[in-house]
Amino acid sequence: MSGLEIEGLRKAFGSTPVLRDVSFEAAAGSFVVIVGPSGCGKTTLLRSLAGLETVDRGAIRLDGRDISDLTPAARNIAMVFQNYALYPTKSVRENIAFGLRQRRTPRAEIARRIADACEALQIGHLLDRRPSQLSGGQRQRVAIGRAMVRDPALFLFDEPLSNLDAGLRNDLRIEIKRIHNKMGTISVFVTHDQLEAMSLADILVVMRDGRIEQIGAPYDVFRKPVNKFVAGFIGTPAMHFLAAHVEDGHAVLGGGSRVEIPSLAAVPNSTLVEIGVRPDDVSLVGQESGAIAGLVDVTQELGTNRLVRVNTVAGELSVLQSAHEPRPAGPVGVRLSPQRALVFLRPSGEILG
Ligand code: ATP
């Protein structure tokens, strides 16, 4: 197939397995984002794709060609690192042109590609400077430009925006997506940032402990996580979990509140579950019957919205409300949206249904 195919990758450092049977496919032009907790193997996976690590087992195919045993240089893959990795003694122009010169690309072609990169990344005025004379954002633009001019078959990004402040991150994120759309090359992007992952990905890959937990379109992973780990990992502000047991199609929560949840209709009584609730799937109501009783703990103003942390009899919950609503305090009631609530089995954490 055209595109990227990763099949059964395994890699251990000494006796510690770091990649345990990692497989996925990405069609031509896809933007793949890999997220997961620190140490789950994201960087090792990228470095394995680039040929900077040798895998113990498995295959990497790019446009139908097995590249697993090729040297990094022969793979035609460009990687952008968090720390820019520019040559400090070379000018921006030389940094960008270096790989092309090594491949004996004709001068006129090098000039044309540098001009394209300058236009896409607004770095034309920086060409004669050294990396030490650039800001972090400018350095990363140059590093992206250097990757871009190589016209690679695959772009790899290892947390390229993590050293930048929020505004700059957003600008560069948009530029990366624009360049990706224009070039149509597959990108594989590692990040810790939820928003970045959701906003960039066509395909979101969630890893844990060397394995892929879930892979899918970002919204599908957000709305239909396969287990409690993915549900808790994806989404900001994070999902809350309330322990419950099942009784006649209802979740009976701590404190005795009962919530009828459609997906529990056929579940045997006494089954132990956890109810996953996102802050935008709950609302504050008065202390009416049927609502979960609680006390407002902390409120955080987020601009358009407000996040209200409530200690309820069933556990801690966060409620996202419009900043236009009156700021709540003291005793409140919280109502769940039964259609939106996710049910996870205890203790496995697998989603029900
Ligand atoms: P982070 O989000 O913190 O960057 P990560 O998901 O990218 O983490 P990796 O850098 O791939 O994780 O590391 C995965 C595991 O492999 C970690 O436990 C790490 O300590 C270990 N590891 C990485 N490189 C080596 C190495 N060269 N030798 C031994 N262990 C290593």
Side-chain angles (χ1 to χ4, degrees), residues 57-304:
R57 276 178 62 184
I60 303 163
R61 284 185 287 274
L62 197 51
D63 295 331
R65 190 169 72 120
D66 191 336
I67 60 166
S68 321
D69 295 325
L70 299 184
T71 62
R75 291 188 186 201
N76 194 20
I77 291 175
M79 188 152 169
V80 178
F81 300 87
Q82 179 176 358
N83 61 2
Y84 324 124
L86 298 173
Y87 300 107
T89 56
K90 294 186 193 298
S91 68
V92 166
R93 189 193 311 277
E94 288 163 344
N95 263 285
I96 297 177
F98 186 73
L100 299 178
R101 291 230 169 88
Q102 283 206 316
R103 281 192 271 159
R104 307 199 185 289
T105 309
R107 267 167 177 264
E109 180 62 16
I110 294 178
R112 191 186 64 75
R113 292 196 196 182
I114 291 180
D116 282 353
C118 287
E119 195 190 323
L121 293 154
Q122 299 128 54
I123 49 176
H125 59 298
L126 306 173
L127 286 175
D128 296 320
R129 294 202 203 164
R130 297 264 158 87
S132 60
Q133 298 168 309
L134 304 176
S135 70
Q138 289 169 334
R139 282 181 210 185
Q140 199 52 293
R141 282 198 159 82
V142 173
I144 294 167
R146 181 180 56 181
M148 197 183 144
V149 295
R150 289 181 47 196
D151 196 16
L154 181 64
F155 273 117
L156 304 177
F157 295 93
D158 193 3
E159 302 198 42
L161 309 180
S162 358
N163 288 344
L164 310 176
D165 67 44
L168 210 49
R169 275 182 94 117
N170 193 42
D171 291 349
L172 259 184
R173 191 189 298 152
I174 291 169
E175 279 167 42
I176 288 175
K177 187 79 188 215
R178 196 180 285 140
I179 291 169
H180 168 86
N181 290 345
K182 191 169 159 206
M183 295 183 71
T185 309
I186 297 177
S187 296
V188 182
F189 189 107
V190 164
T191 180
H192 271 107
D193 185 314
Q194 295 283 316
L195 192 65
E196 201 156 280
M198 294 295 284
S199 65
L200 284 173
D202 304 318
I203 302 173
L204 186 61
V205 178
V206 185
M207 285 184 70
R208 172 168 62 163
D209 198 15
R211 289 197 175 83
I212 293 180
E213 290 283 312
Q214 188 165 2
I215 177 162
Y219 192 71
D220 289 345
V221 176
F222 178 75
R223 275 292 160 213
K224 294 178 219 146
V226 294
N227 57 30
K228 184 183 168 187
F229 169 79
V230 175
F233 194 77
I234 297 295
T236 312
M239 180 177 273
H240 286 267
F241 299 94
L242 303 177
H245 68 269
V246 178
E247 223 174 80
D248 303 331
H250 290 69
V252 182
L253 303 164
S257 314
R258 294 166 66 89
V259 183
E260 188 172 3
I261 296 182
S263 58
L264 291 180
V267 176
N269 281 351
S270 306
T271 302
L272 298 180
V273 295
E274 273 179 289
I275 309 300
V277 186
R278 294 205 188 275
D280 46 343
D281 294 337
V282 277
S283 48
L284 287 182
V285 293
Q287 295 165 273
E288 53 207 54
S289 69
I292 305 168
L295 263 181
V296 171
D297 178 20
V298 179
T299 58
Q300 293 177 75
E301 297 296 335
L302 306 175
T304 315

Side-chain angles (χ1 to χ4, degrees), residues 13 18 37-44 159 192:
F13 288 112
V18 175
S38 191
C40 71
K42 303 181 294 295
T43 295
T44 306
E159 302 198 42
H192 271 107

